[in-house]
């Protein structure tokens, strides 16, 4: 196994830095000694996610829409483009903004990286694989997608972002990397965003039925946010162009996940089947051979432990509300 190259950063720009994964990236970079500029328009990001960072030396918040430009004063040596509505509830509510963030926003972030001679990392998604016919999915798989389906605004924004990032690198020599994130979960997720872990945890803690779509046999692979952040920063430091899958290779069915959440929360909630959404993938699991071989990375937090941490955070967050 190859160990990822180590690299330190002086100033990182994180677009979408008040979002779920973005806020964890901001904290990790500050912990590593970098100055961090968080750019967010708060269309989906939450001020609470970054409130602990506001008083930390080296942290700057810029409230701006990345589709209109990135008004960053200090020249960065790393640009992490994580701005995008990511949950079904958000991208279905903001379809045009999602597409514009993946196109105009990506172009603006790439231009900033190029003009600053900075490393650029695009947060893409397993959604580029659609409802896959190859399982597990490796980076050479082109996917099975529906560009005009309800999930199309998000999936096509990510696919276009990958194409634009590749073209920018080939045309301008921009130092780019594409990371394809699979289902990530953990503290700071919104309980109302429609993703499965926060939905199940919120329902269980409230004593409501856990709504499992279809027969519950469809699978996802769940990666704890600390592991995802390690993978992203390893890819940034390595210098690879990617794309590279960052996610857990361990699958769990939605029915088994619901049962596990009920057990870990000590809830008396029942599990109730509901209609399955249009274009809901039957399977979603990464082949992480490339990340293992090139980055020396793989997830370390087992699902049960990660869910315990997430549940503890959701309990506290609900109490704070």
């Amino acid at each position: 196994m190859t160990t990822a190259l180590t690299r330190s950063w002086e100033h990182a720009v994180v677009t979408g830095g008040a979002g779920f994964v973005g806020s964890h990236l901001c904290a990790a970079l500050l912990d590593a000694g970098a100055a961090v500029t968080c750019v967010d328009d708060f269309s989906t990001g939450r001020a609470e996610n970054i409130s602990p960072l506001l008083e930390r030396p080296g942290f700057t918040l810029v409230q701006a829409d990345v589709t209109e430009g990135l008004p960053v004063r200090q020249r960065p040596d790393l640009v992490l483009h994580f701005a995008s509505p990511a949950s079904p509830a958000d991208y279905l509510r903001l379809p045009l903004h999602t597409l514009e963030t993946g196109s105009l926003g990506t172009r603006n972030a790439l231009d900033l990286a190029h003009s600053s001679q900075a490393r650029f990392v695009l947060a893409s998604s397993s959604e580029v694989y659609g409802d896959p016919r190859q399982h597990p999915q490796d980076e050479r798989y082109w996917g099975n997608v529906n560009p005009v389906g309800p999930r199309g605004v998000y999936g096509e924004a990510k696919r276009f972002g990958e194409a634009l990032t590749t073209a920018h690198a080939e045309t301008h020599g921009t130092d780019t990397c594409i990371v394809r994130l699979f289902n990530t979960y953990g503290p700071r997720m919104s309980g109302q965003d429609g993703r499965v872990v926060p939905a199940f945890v919120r329902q269980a803690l409230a004593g409501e039925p856990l709504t499992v779509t279809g027969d519950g046999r469809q699978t996802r692979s769940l990666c704890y946010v600390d592991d995802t952040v390690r993978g992203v920063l390893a890819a940034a430091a390595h210098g690879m162009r990617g794309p590279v899958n960052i996610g857990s290779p361990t699958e769990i069915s939605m029915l088994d996940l619901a049962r596990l959440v009920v057990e870990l929360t000590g809830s008396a909630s029942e599990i109730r089947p509901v209609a399955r959404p249009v274009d809901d993938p039957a399977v979603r699991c990464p082949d992480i051979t490339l990340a293992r071989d090139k980055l020396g990375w793989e997830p370390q937090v087992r699902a049960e432990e990660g869910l315990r941490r997430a549940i503890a955070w959701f309990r506290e967050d609900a109490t704070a509300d």
Side-chain angles (χ1 to χ4, degrees):
M1 180 181 289
T2 302
T3 301
L5 301 177
T6 58
R7 185 170 173 181
S8 58
W9 310 102
E10 292 186 6
H11 175 218
V13 170
V14 182
T15 72
F20 164 47
V21 177
S23 62
H24 285 275
L25 276 168
C26 288
L29 287 160
L30 287 170
D31 290 343
V36 175
T37 297
C38 164
V39 181
D40 207 297
D41 66 356
F42 294 97
S43 57
T44 61
R46 303 201 308 170
E48 309 94 276
N49 288 346
I50 56 168
S51 58
L53 308 180
L54 293 175
E55 303 302 321
R56 293 188 60 172
F59 183 77
T60 302
L61 171 63
V62 174
Q63 186 167 349
D65 182 344
V66 295
T67 68
E68 299 174 358
L70 277 78
V72 177
R73 295 181 179 179
Q74 182 184 349
R75 177 174 170 171
D77 54 359
L78 175 64
V79 177
L80 296 161
H81 183 41
F82 276 68
S84 177
S87 72
D90 288 334
Y91 63 67
L92 292 174
R93 177 174 58 88
L94 300 166
L96 295 178
H97 183 60
T98 301
L99 288 162
E100 290 165 357
T101 301
S103 53
L104 298 174
T106 302
R107 177 62 182 269
N108 289 333
L110 280 162
D111 287 346
L112 173 63
H114 178 67
S115 64
S116 303
Q117 296 185 313
R119 175 77 161 147
F120 174 86
V121 178
L122 172 71
S124 187
S125 166
S126 61
E127 200 67 29
V128 300
Y129 298 122
D131 188 3
R133 294 176 179 173
Q134 173 183 302
H135 189 67
Q137 299 85 57
D138 66 31
E139 292 84 356
R140 295 167 296 180
Y141 179 55
W142 292 355
N144 175 42
V145 301
N146 178 6
V148 296
R151 304 171 75 100
V153 293
Y154 182 66
E156 294 307 306
K158 293 301 183 182
R159 290 164 73 91
F160 180 83
E162 289 195 13
L164 181 58
T165 297
T166 302
H168 214 281
E170 293 178 351
T171 303
H172 298 302
T174 312
D175 181 14
T176 65
C177 178
I178 297 168
V179 292
R180 290 177 178 163
L181 307 187
F182 281 66
N183 295 68
T184 299
Y185 71 100
R188 301 180 199 156
M189 296 188 86
S190 168
Q192 306 293 335
D193 74 5
R195 286 180 278 195
V196 64
V197 169
F200 282 176
V201 172
R202 179 186 58 78
Q203 289 169 339
L205 293 178
E208 301 171 356
L210 274 66
T211 50
V212 174
T213 62
D215 60 13
R217 290 188 294 179
Q218 65 272 31
T219 67
R220 298 294 183 268
S221 59
L222 304 176
C223 191
Y224 190 67
V225 64
D226 290 356
D227 284 330
T228 296
V229 166
R230 281 193 308 104
V232 170
L233 295 180
H238 185 275
M240 72 188 312
R241 282 182 62 174
V244 57
N245 291 334
I246 300 295
S248 170
T250 303
E251 291 178 87
I252 186 171
S253 74
M254 295 302 90
L255 186 56
D256 285 343
L257 176 62
R259 290 168 176 159
L260 182 56
V261 169
V262 168
E263 176 186 343
L264 295 177
T265 55
S267 174
S269 294
E270 63 176 353
I271 296 172
R272 178 180 299 171
V274 296
R276 192 169 167 186
V278 176
D279 294 338
D280 182 43
V283 292
R284 190 64 71 73
C285 181
D287 181 328
I288 63 168
T289 301
L290 183 61
R292 282 193 177 116
D293 290 349
K294 297 296 185 182
L295 306 178
W297 175 88
E298 60 184 339
Q300 296 178 349
V301 180
R302 295 175 65 87
E304 184 170 328
E305 173 57 27
L307 286 169
R308 288 185 190 278
R309 297 180 192 178
I311 289 165
W313 183 85
F314 274 104
R315 287 188 195 275
E316 184 176 346
D317 192 53
T319 302
D321 290 344

